[in-house]
Each structure stands twice: as C-alpha cells, then as structure tokens.
C-alpha cells in the first residue's frame, strides 16, 4: 500500500514528491446519483484530488440517533473509482455556509459558546461523534488502499479562539480514532489566525482568494518547513438573500490560481463544484466588521460561481482553470464528460389541492408547549422549520406598540386571525398598535443559523420576549414544525382541500381580509399553506423549478426537499437533480409561508 507523508518542502507518495491539485466538492450538496459525473468533471479540469467537509448535524439530528453516516464511505469509494485522492475535513466545526457551521442544534442549544472549547461536555460529544464517523474514513486511507491522503483537524480555529490546546486535542483524537495519514489545519494568512489555529507538529495551510505570494510569506513566518498549500482558494463566493449575485471574472481567478502554482504550492479550489444546500441546510452570516450585525441568510444554491456550475456544466472559469492546470499534468487531461440528461421543454405545474398552515401544523407539528416565556427553537427540538407562538394581549387596554425582543429571524403576525404584518430583526415592532384584549399568533421561521464568527451557536426563535408597550406578556403557547416532518407518510395524513380560484384571495393573498390567516377557510391562490400537485413527465432529467408570484417557503419533489425559495432574489429558481424526477407521475409540494402564486414551472 502507498505511503503518503509530509516532507520538508513537498508531499511525498512513497518518497516521491507530489503536488495536490484538489477541488472542493461536498458530497452532501450533490445528489448521490450524480457524484460520478461531478468527480469526472474535476478530473477533466486537471485535478488529482477532491476535498469534502462532513457536517455533523446532517448525520446526528438527535443525540445518539445517526442518519446515513455510511454516505461518507460511499462517497470516498466513488472518489477512488474516479481515480482521485481525497482530503477529508471532519470538523467537528466546518463553517461551509452550512447551518450552524455543521454543529448540531441540540448541542449548541445546550452549550452555547462552550462549543469549540475544552468544555468537558462538549469534548464528550465530539469524542462519541468521531468514534462513529471516523471508521468510514480510516478504512479508506491511502495506506489501506483507499483515496484519503490528508485529514484536517478542526477548521479555521484561529478565526474563532485562542485556546491552542483545543485544536491540539482534536488532532490527538483523530489519531486515537485511527487516522494515520498526515493531519493539517487551515486558517487565514494572518498572524493571529495562524497563531490561534495551528498545532505544533501538524501541517499548517492557509485560505485566500488572491495574493498567494504574500499569503505564503505569512505562513513561512510561522512554519519554516513543510509543503505550501492553499486549503481554500476562493475562486468565487456565495450569495445572501436580497443581495446581488456574486461573480468573479474567470481570467482574474485563473491568474490567481496560476500564482499559487507558480509558488510551488498545492491547492484546493474552493469550490470546484458548489452544488446545492438541499433540505433547508443553508446557513447564515452576521453583517459588519465584527460579524455581529443584522442577519444575512445564505441562499439555497451553493453555485459559488465555481468552474463547474450548480447543474454540473463547465463554465468559462472551468476552461480557464483547465488551461492553467494542464501545465502541471503528467499527460493529456481526460475528456470533459457529456452533460447529464436535461428535462426537455417546459412544464407548468398547477396546484389543485391545498391545506392551510393551521391544518399542516396540526398533523405534522410537534407537541405544543405552554409556559411563561416563549421557548427557543432549540428548546422545542426544531433545527430547520418554523414555530407558531400564540399569546393573548389582556384587556381592556388601549392600543400600544407590540414588539418582539430577540426575534430570529422572520415572523408573520396575525392579530385576531387577520394578518397584521411581517417582522424581522432583533428588536422588531409591529407597524400598527394593538389594543386589548386580542389573540396574537407569530409564525416564526429560522432563516439559517450563523456558521461563522462570534455569533455562532446563537439560538433561534423568540429569544428575548414579547412586549406590549414596555410590559412583558407572559403565557405563551409554542409549537414547532420541522422541515424533516414533511415525509410521504406525513403529508398523506394532511387534510387537503380543493383550491378554489374564486375564493376572493386575489393574486398575492396579502390584502384579502378574512382569508389570509394561517387557518383561512378560503382555499385559493394567495393563501399561505401547503400546496400539492401531480405532474406527468414524458422524460426525466435535470431541471430548474421556477416559482413566479410565490413569496417564501420550501419545495419538495417526490419527497426530496429542494430547499428554501424567497422572492427577494438573487436566486430565481431551484435546481432539481435529474435522479429526483421520474417518467410518469411526479409529486410536487410547496410550503408557502406568506403569499402564494398559482403555479410553478419545471424548465
């Protein structure tokens, strides 16, 4: 079996210098039926290695209950079959613009900012998780005939904390669990980050998008020996809802890649293929220089302006990178694979069946809890989804401002069954005062947990309190509705009714009095709720799902959650992987939280 080691200046495979030309591709952001095609695209671009994170929260939704950890092993087997090496970054924290940076909500909800420290309870959970995960990696190391040549300990810890014993502890745990290939860390090329995140005796790498020579000079100030590597060469960027789409010029990115390679360094192109944050797993950031400002929710698409786009097709950046990488190839590059099959034409999906949010919650929601103050999502066991909070404004009393302290992240408000507005932000005040007595409902959605910076591990929901004038309102009933509750069996139990086009709701459903509430009697275009349709397809393949006139919510096709949509852009459609569709009947569900359209389009 091959031996992969770290030399004074190079990576060594059986003593022979090698350069890692890697590309990031997250197995969890690509449908398993398309792993082979995407890996072949990386090879055709001129790469010899692929890198992936492992999101803990995807695989352990509840303490001790694991979900398809074997997917990691299946992906690494596909990597070997594609003729590539692999770099695995198991965390436990991964960032990746992923929900909560990959940390489980049940863990951060209990421990808060004790995560990523030497807190004994946190270390105990990490130990149990790594002992479950790492057999999938250890069995596929290069010294056992597999593709894994490098494993990362923690992730950008120098951007988070200064406890250098913590990444050391993670590295030691990886070794104790059987990792025998070299370990590495990755951090920004700044002194405080390299000081905080690097581990003596462990290869240090740096992350940047340009200025390779300056970045490697910073690394050499901290490490005189060892191969140079950019673990994240940012060739593009990600998008937030309501902001402009991020684009990086292909020529500029290719020149920056060439500079990395001219330094004699190894590289991991981040992202080579971004894929999609299916299932509502997209995370969020906080704005501002200290990352403590307003929430910036990340879109469902993780296209990243990468050389291989979200649908697996080569872009101008692909061809520019292929030209650069070909200079460092041992021989001719493989041919570019044919594109995956695509849906022919355009299909309009009209919805004949609908269920109000109230009815959906009654069937698919968790148990309602009552207490003096509103519980957080974490206390209700909700990772992705929404929570309905119900409370009473006592009376008689005059109209006063109704406000929510610590709202995370967006609430549709109903007063006595009539929609009264939408609230956002940490200190949100309803536009119109409320007089008592009144019954109030807030349907609050988490738009993604922060994955980077000092606000990591913050709770979701109503984290402060409900106030009328300056008085706290006590006595709150709360019930969660999780994205994972939308299974075929679950949705089959929801009491749907026919959509009535003459319900009087209008095109948007925002202003229709008496029919716009979550339990509205009028079932028709515009009302929030769960819409269901069956569409016949003559030929299956990759498609884009467009939602003209819809506002915000989630979409499922044949039970597969494509992710969140939101009319604020910049994302205008959801990617539908070909393996999700099928010849004949296909079922589409749309959960609309604010104001629905009449149809969606598969194009």
């Amino acid at each position: 079996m091959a031996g992969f080691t770290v030399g004074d200046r190079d990576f060594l495979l059986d003593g022979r210098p090698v350069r890692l030309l890697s590309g990031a591709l997250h197995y969890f952001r690509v449908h398993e039926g398309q792993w082979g095609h995407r890996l072949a695209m990386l090879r055709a671009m001129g790469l010899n290695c692929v890198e992936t994170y492992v999101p803990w929260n995807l695989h352990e939704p509840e303490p001790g209950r694991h979900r398809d950890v074997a997917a990691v092993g299946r992906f690494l087997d596909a990597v070997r079959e594609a003729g590539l090496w692999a770099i695995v970054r198991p965390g436990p924290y991964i960032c990746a613009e992923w929900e909560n940076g990959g940390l489980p909500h049940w863990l951060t909800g209990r421990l808060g900012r004790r995560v990523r420290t030497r807190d004994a309870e946190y270390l105990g959970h990490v130990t149990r998780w790594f002992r479950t995960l790492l057999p999938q990696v250890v069995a596929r190391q290069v010294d056992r005939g597999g593709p894994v040549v490098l494993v990362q300990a923690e992730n950008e810890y120098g951007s988070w904390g200064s406890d250098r014993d913590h990444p050391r502890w993670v590295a030691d745990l990886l070794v104790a669990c059987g990792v025998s290939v070299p370990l590495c860390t990755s951090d920004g090329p700044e002194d405080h980050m390299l000081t905080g995140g690097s581990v003596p005796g462990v290869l240090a790498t740096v992350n940047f998008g340009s200025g390779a020579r300056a970045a490697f000079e910073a690394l050499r100030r901290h490490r005189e020996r060892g191969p140079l590597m950019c673990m994240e060469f940012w060739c593009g960027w990600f998008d937030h809802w309501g902001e402009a789409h991020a684009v990086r010029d292909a020529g500029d990115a290719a020149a920056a890649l060439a500079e990395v390679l001219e330094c004699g360094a190894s590289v991991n192109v981040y992202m080579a293929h971004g894929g999609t944050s299916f299932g509502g797993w997209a995370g969020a950031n906080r704005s501002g220089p200290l990352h403590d400002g307003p929430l910036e929710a990340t879109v469902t698409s993780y296209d990243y302006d990468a050389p291989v786009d979200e649908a697996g097709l080569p872009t101008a950046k692909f061809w520019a990178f292929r030209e650069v990488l070909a200079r460092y190839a041992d021989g001719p590059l493989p041919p570019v694979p044919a594109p995956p099959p695509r849906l022919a034409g355009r299909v309009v999906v009209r919805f004949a069946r609908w269920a109000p949010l109230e009815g959906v919650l009654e069937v698919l929601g968790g148990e309602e809890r009552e207490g003096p103050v509103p519980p957080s999502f974490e206390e209700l066991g909700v990772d992705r989804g929404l929570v309905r909070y119900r409370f009473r404004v006592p009376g008689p009393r005059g109209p006063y401002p109704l406000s929510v302290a610590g709202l995370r992240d967006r609430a549709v408000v109903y007063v006595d069954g009539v929609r009264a507005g939408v609230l956002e932000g940490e200190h949100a005040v309803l536009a119109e005062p409320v007089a008592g007595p009144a019954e109030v409902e807030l349907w609050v959605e988490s738009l993604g947990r922060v994955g980077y910076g000092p606000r990591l591990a913050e709770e979701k929901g109503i984290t402060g309190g409900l106030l009328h004038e300056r008085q706290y309102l006590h006595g709150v009933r709360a019930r969660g509705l999780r994205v994972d509750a939308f299974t075929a069996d679950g949705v089959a139990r929801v009491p749907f009714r026919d959509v009535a086009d003459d319900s009087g709701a209008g095109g948007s459903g925002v202003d229709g009095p008496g029919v716009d509430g979550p339990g509205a009697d009028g079932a028709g275009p515009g009302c929030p709720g769960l819409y269901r349709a069956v569409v016949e397809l003559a030929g299956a393949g990759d498609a884009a799902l467009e939602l003209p006139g819809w506002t915000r919510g989630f979409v499922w096709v044949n039970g597969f959650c494509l992710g969140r949509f939101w009319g604020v852009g910049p994302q205008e459609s959801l990617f539908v992987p070909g393996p999700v569709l099928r010849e004949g009947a296909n079922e589409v569900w749309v959960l609309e939280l604010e104001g629905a359209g009449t149809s969606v389009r598969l194009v």
Side-chain angles (χ1 to χ4, degrees):
M1 298 300 177
F4 188 86
T5 56
V6 172
D8 284 347
R9 291 288 164 179
D10 300 292
F11 292 112
L12 303 172
L13 183 67
D14 291 336
R16 177 176 58 88
V18 295
R19 187 198 302 249
L20 295 181
L21 302 174
S22 179
L25 186 162
H26 300 154
Y27 67 93
F28 47 92
R29 282 181 161 129
V30 178
H31 191 283
E32 186 166 352
Q34 298 183 324
W35 285 349
H37 174 265
R38 303 302 195 263
L39 292 167
M41 289 294 294
L42 265 60
R43 279 205 67 199
M45 193 167 71
L47 301 176
N48 59 23
C49 185
V50 62
E51 171 268 311
T52 186
Y53 281 123
V54 179
W56 182 1
N57 51 8
L58 177 67
H59 294 296
E60 192 173 5
E62 298 172 6
R65 181 171 75 84
H66 296 102
R67 175 171 53 193
D68 198 17
V69 181
V72 179
R74 296 196 303 274
F75 178 71
L76 293 174
D77 290 342
V79 171
R80 179 177 52 80
E81 292 170 11
L84 295 165
W85 291 317
I87 300 169
V88 180
R89 305 167 81 186
Y93 162 82
I94 64 170
C95 185
E97 289 69 59
W98 190 255
E99 164 83 7
N100 221 22
L103 298 175
H105 73 285
W106 51 262
L107 182 71
T108 57
R110 176 175 173 80
L111 300 182
R113 291 176 190 159
R114 289 156 56 194
V115 300
R116 304 184 76 191
T117 71
R118 286 177 287 171
D119 177 81
E121 186 174 351
Y122 174 69
L123 299 184
H125 285 294
V126 174
T127 299
R128 285 186 289 273
W129 163 235
F130 270 18
R131 286 175 177 168
T132 300
L133 165 66
L134 287 172
Q136 300 291 331
V137 178
V138 168
R140 293 166 175 86
Q141 296 177 110
V142 68
D143 54 7
R144 302 191 185 195
V148 179
V149 294
L150 203 60
V151 174
Q152 184 174 297
E154 243 279 351
N155 185 57
E156 295 183 319
Y157 188 79
S159 299
W160 167 262
S162 60
D163 181 1
R164 298 184 69 184
D165 287 340
H166 179 65
R168 169 82 271 171
W169 179 89
V170 174
D172 290 344
L173 177 61
L174 290 167
V175 173
C177 289
V179 174
S180 53
V181 296
L183 302 179
C184 67
T185 58
S186 70
D187 288 286
E190 300 181 35
D191 289 334
H192 69 286
M193 294 181 181
L194 285 164
T195 300
S198 60
V199 176
V202 173
L203 176 70
T205 68
V206 284
N207 303 336
F208 55 84
S210 59
R213 289 181 176 82
F216 290 136
E217 286 173 5
L219 178 59
R220 279 288 180 239
R221 289 198 300 270
H222 293 260
R223 293 294 175 86
E224 295 181 1
R225 298 182 177 180
L228 296 173
M229 182 167 188
C230 177
M231 183 56 75
E232 292 184 15
F233 168 64
W234 302 320
C235 64
W237 206 245
F238 53 92
D239 292 338
H240 292 130
W241 291 112
E243 299 179 4
H245 173 51
V247 176
R248 182 175 185 183
D249 177 75
D252 173 70
L257 174 62
E259 183 183 358
V260 173
L261 300 178
E262 288 163 4
C263 292
S266 291
V267 68
N268 179 50
V269 175
Y270 193 99
M271 300 288 298
H273 170 60
T276 310
S277 298
F278 298 116
W281 283 106
N285 296 96
R286 289 284 181 181
S287 64
L290 298 179
H291 298 276
D292 59 353
L295 189 84
E296 299 174 319
T298 307
V299 304
T300 295
S301 171
Y302 201 61
D303 177 77
Y304 213 88
D305 195 35
V308 180
D309 75 9
E310 187 176 14
L313 304 178
T315 67
K317 195 172 291 181
F318 175 93
W319 299 110
F321 280 20
R322 179 177 159 99
E323 182 178 348
V324 171
L325 292 165
R327 305 170 200 161
Y328 299 89
D330 293 334
L333 297 183
V336 178
R342 289 194 247 180
L343 187 72
R346 163 177 153 170
V347 180
V348 177
V349 182
R350 299 191 182 278
F351 294 92
R353 304 287 286 166
W354 168 88
L357 284 180
E358 188 79 31
V360 176
L361 180 67
E362 188 63 32
V363 173
L364 301 182
E367 182 179 351
E368 186 166 65
R369 286 180 48 177
E370 185 170 358
V373 297
S376 67
F377 276 42
E378 288 74 13
E379 291 172 303
L380 293 171
V382 176
D383 52 359
R384 292 152 296 125
L386 60 153
V387 171
R388 181 194 65 188
Y389 295 94
R390 297 196 291 180
F391 61 96
R392 180 176 177 80
V393 177
R397 60 171 67 190
Y400 290 112
L402 182 71
S403 62
V404 184
L407 174 61
R408 302 176 188 153
D409 298 300
R410 186 175 174 93
V412 182
V413 184
Y414 299 88
V415 178
D416 290 330
V418 177
R419 177 166 157 172
V422 177
L423 299 178
E424 287 184 297
E426 294 282 296
H427 303 284
V429 182
L430 200 61
E432 293 295 328
V434 175
E439 296 292 332
V440 181
E441 292 188 8
L442 282 79
W443 292 75
V444 179
E445 184 195 359
S446 164
L447 298 174
R449 287 178 174 82
V450 169
Y452 179 85
R455 294 289 288 267
L456 178 72
E458 69 181 15
E459 292 182 314
K460 288 295 184 180
I462 298 177
T463 63
L466 303 158
L467 296 99
H468 195 227
E469 202 252 351
R470 75 197 71 180
Q471 180 189 71
Y472 277 110
L473 298 175
H474 294 113
V476 181
R477 290 165 290 167
R479 189 172 188 183
L481 180 61
R482 301 175 66 239
V483 169
D484 283 349
F486 289 80
T487 64
D489 290 343
V491 171
R493 294 186 285 110
V494 172
F496 286 87
R497 60 184 77 168
D498 291 339
V499 170
D501 289 333
D502 59 350
S503 65
S508 69
V510 173
D511 298 319
V515 298
D516 59 349
D521 292 332
C527 298
L530 182 62
Y531 289 77
R532 185 178 187 181
V534 175
V535 59
E536 295 283 336
L537 296 178
D542 288 353
L545 188 141
E546 299 175 342
L547 297 104
W550 299 75
T551 307
R552 176 176 59 94
F554 295 87
V555 179
W556 292 258
V557 174
N558 294 325
F560 181 88
C561 185
L562 302 180
R564 175 183 288 107
F565 66 90
W566 198 354
V568 297
Q571 184 172 351
E572 297 179 349
S573 63
L574 294 174
F575 175 64
V576 186
V580 169
L581 297 171
R582 53 190 177 227
E583 294 270 355
N586 293 261
E587 188 158 12
V588 180
W589 310 331
V590 178
L591 179 69
E592 171 60 63
L593 303 178
E594 294 192 37
T598 58
S599 64
V600 300
R601 296 191 293 252
L602 285 167
V603 300

